[in-house]
Amino acid sequence: MPLNSYFAVHHVTRDVTWQAHLHDFYEFYFVLSDNVAIETEHGIYNATYGDFFIFEPYFFHKISAPDILFDRYCIGIKEEDLLSSALCLREAFAAIKESRLHHLQANVTTAAKLIKIFDRAIRSYEDTSPFRDFRIISCIGEIMRIISTLPHGSKGIPHPKNKISAIMKYIHTNSHEEINIDHICKTFGLGTTTLHKIFKEHLNISPGEYILRVRLNNAIDLLKEGKSVTETANLSGFNSYSHFIRIFKSRIGMPPHKYAKSDVKVRSLSD
């Protein structure tokens, strides 16, 4: 399996306000700006230069920055796929899980070292040489070695508990099944009006729209993995083949069979 199907690295410098979201991969989030509000399941953080966050798969988070330029590095890693190609990182991932690392802080000197490694990872990611994957894995190992030495950051300001995180995880886990609004309401003991209010407050979309976006994201991944259009429709939770074709073309801009053969990359629709 090509490494770029389960790994991505980016250096981004633009303003951002992301809706609450989660995804099925690890995200390393290295902040290089001040006054960045990061809301997670564990609390609300006022992140500053050098803060390092680790978001586990299906870990609820929301990020907003007031400045025009918000400087940060992001790495996305699908753990199982990466470890199948880089067994040397298995113990490093196990240590992260065991220590429950979420918020870390790098001083100016360590931040400078991390920046160099991230930049090298980006250059390697864009490389086409036979040593590309080896260089990327080496960068990941260096980053994980450094963050294992970083002191823990603050625990964040506690925020009122709500069910949005649990509901989002439930949808991601069961999106291939025939789930609907009534089913979610019964599962979480909510009324339809309350459920819509929760989604409007945190995501500014309806729960039905969120389910659709999750299914489309899954369909995109399945197509790129080589699944047929029929398999993709069934595995991603669309019980009507014709409906899947119509929705996919409407949202993505091309039929699924053409997307599977293209080099187009679609940003997560559920973010």
Side-chain angles (χ1 to χ4, degrees):
M1 181 183 294
L3 189 144
N4 60 3
S5 67
Y6 54 84
F7 171 85
V9 58
H10 304 285
H11 181 201
V12 189
T13 54
R14 64 172 184 268
D15 60 329
V16 62
T17 298
W18 287 356
Q19 297 171 346
H21 66 286
L22 41 76
H23 29 62
D24 63 350
F25 53 84
Y26 271 92
E27 183 176 26
F28 293 173
Y29 204 86
F30 184 32
V31 178
L32 297 177
S33 294
D34 293 326
N35 300 318
V36 180
I38 298 183
E39 179 180 351
T40 76
E41 296 179 15
H42 299 311
I44 301 172
Y45 303 84
N46 180 24
T48 58
Y49 184 95
D51 278 9
F52 198 107
F53 291 85
I54 300 174
F55 302 131
E56 298 175 0
Y58 303 110
F59 187 82
F60 166 89
H61 53 289
K62 179 180 179 181
I63 300 167
S64 60
D67 297 332
I68 295 177
L69 295 180
F70 169 29
D71 196 359
R72 73 271 193 198
Y73 288 93
C74 307
I75 284 183
I77 299 174
K78 287 193 175 182
E79 178 193 4
E80 291 184 4
D81 293 331
L82 174 66
L83 295 184
S84 67
S85 302
L87 294 176
C88 56
L89 296 177
R90 188 178 298 277
E91 290 187 7
F93 265 99
I96 286 178
K97 288 181 178 179
E98 184 177 353
S99 60
R100 303 292 294 174
L101 297 177
H102 294 297
H103 178 210
L104 305 166
Q105 290 181 313
N107 60 30
V108 174
T109 301
T110 305
K113 292 179 182 178
L114 283 169
I115 289 171
K116 289 182 179 180
I117 300 171
F118 270 95
D119 284 339
R120 192 163 74 247
I122 291 173
R123 291 195 299 272
S124 300
Y125 186 64
E126 297 170 347
D127 190 9
T128 57
S129 76
F131 300 101
R132 172 181 178 271
D133 289 6
F134 172 79
R135 289 168 177 161
I136 291 174
I137 290 171
S138 175
C139 290
I140 296 172
E142 287 187 67
I143 291 170
M144 296 184 77
R145 179 186 62 80
I146 290 177
I147 65 177
S148 70
T149 68
L150 296 180
H152 287 258
S154 67
K155 293 183 178 181
I157 302 171
H159 54 71
K161 294 292 182 181
N162 58 66
K163 295 187 176 182
I164 186 63
S165 176
I167 297 171
M168 291 168 69
K169 289 180 181 179
Y170 179 82
I171 291 172
H172 275 260
T173 304
N174 298 281
S175 61
H176 61 288
E177 303 286 351
E178 292 188 16
I179 56 172
N180 54 39
I181 304 305
D182 289 340
H183 189 92
I184 294 173
C185 287
K186 290 178 181 178
T187 300
F188 291 92
L190 299 170
T192 304
T193 301
T194 301
L195 180 66
H196 277 80
K197 182 178 179 181
I198 290 173
F199 270 79
K200 181 68 175 178
E201 178 184 353
H202 291 279
L203 305 178
N204 200 32
I205 59 175
S206 70
E209 172 65 18
Y210 188 78
I211 294 172
L212 176 60
R213 293 186 186 187
V214 170
R215 285 174 170 161
L216 283 172
N217 281 335
N218 291 339
I220 287 169
D221 290 340
L222 290 167
L223 288 170
K224 288 303 184 182
E225 289 172 8
K227 293 289 191 296
S228 70
V229 176
T230 301
E231 285 181 298
T232 297
N234 292 331
L235 293 173
S236 54
F238 291 91
N239 54 17
S240 168
Y241 178 81
S242 60
H243 176 66
F244 169 62
I245 300 295
R246 184 172 63 256
I247 290 294
F248 193 97
K249 184 177 181 181
S250 171
R251 296 299 184 95
I252 308 304
M254 65 180 73
H257 71 277
K258 286 189 176 181
Y259 179 83
K261 298 176 182 179
S262 74
D263 294 325
V264 175
K265 294 182 179 180
V266 177
R267 184 171 179 252
S268 175
L269 296 169
S270 58
D271 288 0

